């Protein structure tokens, strides 16, 4: 079983979208022995469903985020998961400083796996912006999810 955790700040916009998109793509490719989750580095939105704007954008692409609920990254996640994927530099830095050294190799920035949005440094936080931001965020997430899925398939000979 491969365990993957997507992480952003609030766990209501970017990381639940990444979770939903990646789950959809992994299932399309027939990858079944995989566990996918998401979390936030901050505690503001614990227990909340994804932001309505993220749900709306994802639903346009056939992805339902409505049952997801926000949680905060737990120390045990560094042991539990095989890949821990940060949406931006701040999320990555916060986890790098908290993560025990022997698990630090599990930490990645999602945009490293982009193929079309090359040079995009981070998955931008759409929370305070308009609906254009949610579309752009979704498009970067979709690109990174495809690249990351190919990475996993290569690493695990799937
Ligand atoms: P996310 O977006 O990290 O992609 O879930 C945010 C959600 C909430 C806040 C900031 C970013 N906030 O400040 O409440």
């Amino acid at each position: 079983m491969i365990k993957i955790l997507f992480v952003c700040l609030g766990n209501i916009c970017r990381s639940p979208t990444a979770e939903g998109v990646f789950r959809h793509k992994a299932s399309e490719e027939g990858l079944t022995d995989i566990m996918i989750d998401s979390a936030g580095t901050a505690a503001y939105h614990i227990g909340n469903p994804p932001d309505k704007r993220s749900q709306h954008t994802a639903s346009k692409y056939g992805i339902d985020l409505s049952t997801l609920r926000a949680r905060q990254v737990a120390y045990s996640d560094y042991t539990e998961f095989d890949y821990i994927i940060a949406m931006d530099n701040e999320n990555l830095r916060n986890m790098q400083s908290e993560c025990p050294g022997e698990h630090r190799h599990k930490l990645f920035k999602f945009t490293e796996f982009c193929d079309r949005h090359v040079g995009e440094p981070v998955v931008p936080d759409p929370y305070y912006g308009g609906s254009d931001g949610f579309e752009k965020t979704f498009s970067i997430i979709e690109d990174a999810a495809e690249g990351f899925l190919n990475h996993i398939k290569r690493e695990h000979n799937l």
Side-chain angles (χ1 to χ4, degrees):
M1 163 94 71
I2 305 167
K3 295 182 177 177
I4 299 163
L5 182 67
F6 294 103
V7 175
C8 62
L9 179 63
N11 193 210
I12 55 165
C13 299
R14 293 166 293 172
S15 61
T17 302
E19 176 183 349
V21 167
F22 192 78
R23 183 172 288 125
H24 186 78
K25 291 192 185 293
S27 125
E28 273 181 350
E29 297 266 330
L31 265 66
T32 49
D33 203 17
I34 195 163
M35 192 268 256
I36 305 159
D37 196 5
S38 64
T41 56
Y44 322 128
H45 297 283
I46 292 174
N48 291 347
D51 189 287
K52 285 278 181 237
R53 298 165 295 174
S54 296
Q55 289 197 48
H56 175 71
T57 306
S59 73
K60 289 202 281 182
Y61 299 90
I63 294 167
D64 177 20
L65 305 180
S66 65
T67 59
L68 304 180
R69 293 295 177 269
R71 72 169 180 90
Q72 193 171 19
V73 175
Y75 194 68
S76 56
D77 289 331
Y78 300 117
T79 317
E80 171 77 7
F81 286 88
D82 303 304
Y83 298 90
I84 302 172
I85 313 293
M87 297 297 125
D88 66 29
N89 293 317
E90 192 187 10
N91 315 145
L92 184 64
R93 253 194 324 270
N94 285 338
M95 291 196 288
Q96 277 166 340
S97 65
E98 190 180 71
C99 179
E102 73 264 36
H103 297 299
R104 229 167 268 158
H105 66 278
K106 299 173 175 179
L107 299 172
F108 296 88
K109 195 164 66 171
F110 204 24
T111 47
E112 282 177 44
F113 302 102
C114 280
D115 206 26
R116 296 187 297 278
H117 291 276
V118 275
E120 198 68 62
V122 296
V123 179
D125 181 353
Y127 188 69
Y128 292 105
S131 60
D132 284 8
F134 282 83
E135 281 293 336
K136 176 160 192 212
T137 292
F138 189 89
S139 168
I140 296 171
I141 287 173
E142 201 173 35
D143 183 12
E146 284 167 17
F148 181 51
L149 189 56
N150 288 330
H151 176 82
I152 300 270
K153 283 165 71 181
R154 269 196 308 274
E155 278 207 330
H156 297 269
N157 296 315
L158 297 170

